[in-house]
């Protein structure tokens, strides 16, 4: 860790992610509150969560193949600036009393779309910058710092929303993306390794798809991630509605941010313990236990009737879900050659986050409006149960010891 933190180029990337995450944590509370205040609809609020993931399905194959041909630093800077412009349009429209639900959906979808391209570059930039020996610790450092921000920022967002309103609060996110672009631009070390020249874009896409399908460990982790993503999409899409309807929390109440902070506390704990867990458990076991624990946590989240137990359950969901997500990303990065990083990681992200998250978020919104929030969570957690069962059924098959050694 001393070597990692003495690397100024990594610190620049770490700071860029930290600052942009702080802004996103604020708008992550402000945007659904703003949408719900405009519409009073769980479906519209769930649609915001769906739009944060759907662009992976639309752009995943193309972005992964093209970014593997491009300078990753340039892609990251341009996409950060594009996000800043999109987010700045919300407070501007709010100032002229011209904000509509459609505008919010367009902004959410637009930011998520450019984030697909950022992620395609970032997935390959981290291992290229730090090397495989420091990859687990680098990912944990980025995730733990980001989730630490999510602990404080949502509560601060609740206060800011009460003082300056949700539209004004989102201006902070625009500033954070501009600062992130400046920091990434300052990284001096190359974020690409030497690669063979590419001729056919179609062949590049096919190569990435074939690698993900033929590599058994990556294929399994991707399949298990779909169940996690569907349940996660429902939780993220219904968190504000859960507070409003189940616990009668008033709109613009600072307690809204507490649930988001609790989610971040769990995610922070997961990022901190991940390097230690990977030293003693195979990646397959880590994911399987994480999925199984998530099933139990979802049951508690559905059944609680007191606010403090809901907060604790939300934190535990952040813990189990983040372990599964970070472990899956790290495995893909370790197994995938540098020339395929963008394609394979974006396809994996597309199949899990891009398919599962929108399904869970939209299904959760529809079911919450037609039935209840608790019923919606029960139904959308069934794919998580299936994923846990599949994970345990695969434990006696091909060993993942080689990956376990790679993660140490």
């Amino acid at each position: 860790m001393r070597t990692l933190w003495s690397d100024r180029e990594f610190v620049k990337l770490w700071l860029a992610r930290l600052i942009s995450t702080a802004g996103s944590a604020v708008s992550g509370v402000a945007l659904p509150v703003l949408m719900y205040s405009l519409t009073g609809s769980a479906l519209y609020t769930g649609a915001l969560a769906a739009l944060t993931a759907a662009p992976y399905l639309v752009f995943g194959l193309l972005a992964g193949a093209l970014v593997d041909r491009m300078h990753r630093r340039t892609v990251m800077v341009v996409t950060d600036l594009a996000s800043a412009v999109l987010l700045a349009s919300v407070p501007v429209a709010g100032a002229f009393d011209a904000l509509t639900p459609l505008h919010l959906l367009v902004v959410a979808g637009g930011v998520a779309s450019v984030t697909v391209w950022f992620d395609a570059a970032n997935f390959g930039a981290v291992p290229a910058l730090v090397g495989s020996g420091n990859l687990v610790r680098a990912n944990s450092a980025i995730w733990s710092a980001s989730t630490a921000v999510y602990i404080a920022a949502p509560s601060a967002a609740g206060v800011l929303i009460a003082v300056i309103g949700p539209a004004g609060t989102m201006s902070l996110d625009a500033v954070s993306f501009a600062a992130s672009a400046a920091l990434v631009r300052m990284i001096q070390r190359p974020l690409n390794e030497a690669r063979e020249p590419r001729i056919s874009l179609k062949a590049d896409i096919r190569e990435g798809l074939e690698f993900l399908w033929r590599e058994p460990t990556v294929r399994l982790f991707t399949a298990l991630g779909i169940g996690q993503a569907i349940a996660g999409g429902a939780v993220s899409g219904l968190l504000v509605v859960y507070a409003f309807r189940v616990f009668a929390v008033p709109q613009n109440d600072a307690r809204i941010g507490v649930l988001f902070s609790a989610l971040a506390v769990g995610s922070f704990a997961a990022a901190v313990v991940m390097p230690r867990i990977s030293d003693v458990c195979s990646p397959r076991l880590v994911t399987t236990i994480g999925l199984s624990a998530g099933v139990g946590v979802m049951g508690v989240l559905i059944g609680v009737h007191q606010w403090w137990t809901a907060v604790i359950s939300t934190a535990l969901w952040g813990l189990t879900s983040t372990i599964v997500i970070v472990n899956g990303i790290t495995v893909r990065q370790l197994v995938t050659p540098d020339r395929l990083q963008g394609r394979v990681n974006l396809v994996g992200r597309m199949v899990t986050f891009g398919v599962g998250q929108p399904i869970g978020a939209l299904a959760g919104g529809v079911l919450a409006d037609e039935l209840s929030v608790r019923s919606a969570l029960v139904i959308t957690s069934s794919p998580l149960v299936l994923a846990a069962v599949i994970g345990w059924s695969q434990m006696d098959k091909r060993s993942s010891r080689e990956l376990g050694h790679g993660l140490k």
Side-chain angles (χ1 to χ4, degrees), residues 226-316:
I226 296 174
Q228 168 68 45
I230 292 174
V235 173
S236 63
L238 291 175
L239 203 57
V240 168
V241 183
Y242 180 74
F244 289 163
R245 295 187 182 177
V246 176
F247 294 98
V249 175
Q251 293 184 29
N252 296 341
D253 192 302
R255 282 183 295 168
I256 295 296
V258 172
L259 282 182
F260 287 88
S261 293
L263 194 66
V265 168
S267 297
F268 178 78
V272 170
V273 302
M274 271 300 298
R276 297 175 184 176
I277 294 175
S278 66
D279 284 342
V280 297
C281 297
S282 71
R284 191 172 301 185
L285 181 61
V286 172
T287 289
T288 302
I289 292 176
L291 290 168
S292 303
V295 172
V297 170
M298 184 68 85
V300 176
L301 190 65
I302 292 167
V304 297
H305 294 279
Q306 294 181 318
W307 174 253
W308 68 270
T309 52
V311 173
I312 293 174
S313 300
T314 303
L316 291 174

Side-chain angles (χ1 to χ4, degrees), residues 120-157:
N122 183 67
F123 279 132
V126 176
L129 191 63
V130 303
S132 60
N134 270 326
L135 182 57
V136 172
R137 285 174 171 78
N139 279 338
S140 292
I142 293 171
W143 276 78
S144 61
S146 298
T147 50
V149 168
Y150 266 99
I151 294 172
S155 296

Side-chain angles (χ1 to χ4, degrees), residues 137-217:
R137 285 174 171 78
N139 279 338
S140 292
I142 293 171
W143 276 78
S144 61
S146 298
T147 50
V149 168
Y150 266 99
I151 294 172
S155 296
V159 175
L160 289 169
I161 289 170
V163 175
I164 63 174
T169 300
M170 290 189 62
S171 62
L172 298 175
D173 198 9
V175 174
S176 74
F177 273 102
S180 174
L183 283 165
V184 172
R185 182 65 183 85
M186 292 168 60
I187 296 175
Q188 297 180 4
R189 196 156 65 238
L191 300 182
N192 297 74
E193 296 179 4
R195 297 161 296 161
E196 298 177 0
R198 304 267 169 38
I199 299 175
S200 169
L201 182 63
K202 182 179 179 180
D204 281 357
I205 293 174
R206 183 174 62 248
E207 186 180 15
L209 287 170
E210 288 176 350
F211 181 89
L212 186 143
W213 179 251
R214 292 177 180 176
E215 214 298 317
T217 302

